[in-house]
Amino acid sequence: DALPIWQFRMNSSNQLEFEADFDGATDLSVFSTTALNLNAWQYITVTWDGSLSKANVHLYSNGIEMTQSGSS
């Protein structure tokens, strides 16, 4: 089995975004529904169990889980 390729970034709307690719196409895409505050230090974390379920991706800002949307 191939290992997934993943990325965690801030998108053009200043939202956190996590994507995982298992087979050459984006299979999992999750993003926060609120934008990050710019020009301020923030502690950002993502947890993920490696599955294709968006319910198993969690985005945090300063220790608080962010509301998210996406597809899997």
Side-chain angles (χ1 to χ4, degrees), residues 50-66:
S51 71
L52 283 174
S53 173
K54 68 179 182 178
N56 295 326
V57 176
H58 302 275
L59 305 173
Y60 298 88
S61 176
N62 297 319
I64 299 170
E65 188 166 8
M66 303 176 80

Side-chain angles (χ1 to χ4, degrees), residues 4-54:
I5 297 169
W6 58 270
Q7 60 180 330
F8 180 46
R9 65 182 178 189
M10 184 171 70
N11 65 23
S12 61
S13 298
N14 299 330
Q15 300 163 309
L16 289 180
E17 186 171 11
F18 176 83
E19 293 182 333
D21 170 1
F22 289 84
D23 59 4
T26 300
D27 299 305
L28 178 63
S29 178
V30 175
F31 57 91
S32 63
T33 57
T34 57
L36 293 173
N37 295 321
L38 298 180
N39 302 314
W41 282 99
Q42 295 165 78
Y43 182 72
I44 304 300
T45 307
V46 61
T47 64
W48 173 49
D49 70 355
S51 71
L52 283 174
S53 173
K54 68 179 182 178

